[in-house]
């Protein structure tokens, strides 16, 4: 592997599925036009839908679509690790990860490959992310990167390369598998949320780089955003479920323990973002009491290092 140039023969798409919408079938057909090889890691989808996924995989053939079935939802981190390990065992050198409802814009894959080939620090590039386009937002996504030890900046661009980005989401990102092997797998015990952020900060901590190829576009909607007004300003809260808020709150504590002192610019970003998010949730979203309970449960479990899947007793209280 080492320093060979990327191309479609060495590139694998990994999609983690969990009870995907019926429209995913058509979505998969489109993705097969973008990628030569796709791995579906199914996280305990119900039997009827899993049968549909199995039939789709058979329809395209194992040379194009491979299905890995999990009997239950084992979390996004573990499912990604399964896909990455499969890719390594079968000789792939790079992977692009996708959420089941994310759509690559035409040319995204080729733009990422070209961006990787031309990157000035390719040997140390752990992740090359696309520019995220959210259908509801009136602007391109902005990416946080370090300004100095204690301060950060938000930046975006129509074209070109954004280097030394601190945080990128998993969906649409191109990963170097050789670097992944050196850094170690995603944190299984996170289950969901902060899985990508933790990997990014770990990579940066070890001297690797995260970049964004701005002309590679991914249509991806975070949560279930709605347009809301607050004090004359238009905001777009994500309306995550209380269960997601448990994971966010718990894993945030784990992240602070690991990286607050090592990456202080990220710490200040995280604190400011958390306050802003709280304001949006408790002034604009529904299920406020349940989400506040989720915050308390998650924070407490994070403090006492209780990780993994949400305990059934807490989940029942939040649903």
């Amino acid at each position: 592997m080492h320093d060979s140039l990327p191309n479609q023969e060495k590139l694998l798409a990994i999609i983690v599925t969990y009870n995907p919408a019926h429209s995913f079938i058509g979505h998969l057909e489109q993705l097969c036009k973008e990628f030569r090889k796709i791995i579906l890691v199914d996280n305990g989808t119900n039997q009827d839908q899993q049968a549909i996924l199995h039939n789709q995989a058979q329809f395209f053939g194992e040379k194009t679509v491979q299905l890995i079935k999990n009997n239950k939802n084992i979390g996004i981190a573990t499912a990604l690790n399964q896909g990455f390990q499969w890719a390594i065992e079968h000789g792939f050198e790079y992977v692009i990860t996708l959420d089941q409802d994310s759509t690559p814009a035409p040319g995204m894959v080729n733009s990422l490959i070209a961006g990787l080939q031309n990157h000035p620090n390719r040997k140390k590039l752990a992740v090359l992310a696309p520019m995220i386009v959210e259908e509801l937002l009136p602007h391109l996504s902005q990416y946080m990167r370090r300004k100095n030890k204690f301060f950060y900046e938000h930046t975006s661009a129509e074209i070109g390369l954004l280097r030394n980005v601190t945080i990128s989401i998993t969906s649409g990102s191109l990963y170097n598998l050789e670097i992944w092997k050196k850094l170690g797998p995603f944190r299984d015990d996170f289950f969901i949320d902060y899985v990508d952020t933790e990997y990014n900060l770990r990579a940066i901590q070890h001297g690797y780089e995260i970049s964004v190829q701005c002309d590679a576009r991914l249509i991806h909607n975070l949560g279930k955003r709605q347009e809301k007004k607050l004090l004359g300003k238009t905001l777009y809260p994500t309306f995550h479920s209380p269960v997601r808020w448990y994971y966010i709150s718990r894993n945030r504590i784990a992240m602070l323990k690991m990286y607050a002192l090592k990456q202080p610019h990220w710490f200040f970003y995280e604190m400011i973002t958390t306050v802003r998010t709280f304001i949006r949730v408790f002034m604009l979203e529904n299920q406020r009491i349940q989400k506040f309970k989720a915050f308390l449960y998650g924070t407490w479990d994070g403090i006492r290092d209780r990780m993994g899947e949400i305990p059934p007793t807490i989940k029942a209280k939040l649903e």
Side-chain angles (χ1 to χ4, degrees), residues 94-141:
Y94 301 89
V95 298
I96 291 179
T97 56
L98 288 167
D99 287 357
Q100 63 188 18
D101 54 357
S102 296
T103 304
M108 186 198 85
V109 177
N110 289 335
S111 292
L112 286 174
I113 291 174
L116 184 57
Q117 289 173 333
N118 298 320
H119 197 281
N121 192 24
R122 180 161 54 88
K123 292 181 181 179
K124 288 288 187 176
L125 184 63
V127 183
L128 182 61
M131 176 61 66
I132 302 300
V133 179
E134 292 201 51
E135 294 170 312
L136 190 61
L137 299 186
H139 53 75
L140 290 174
S141 295

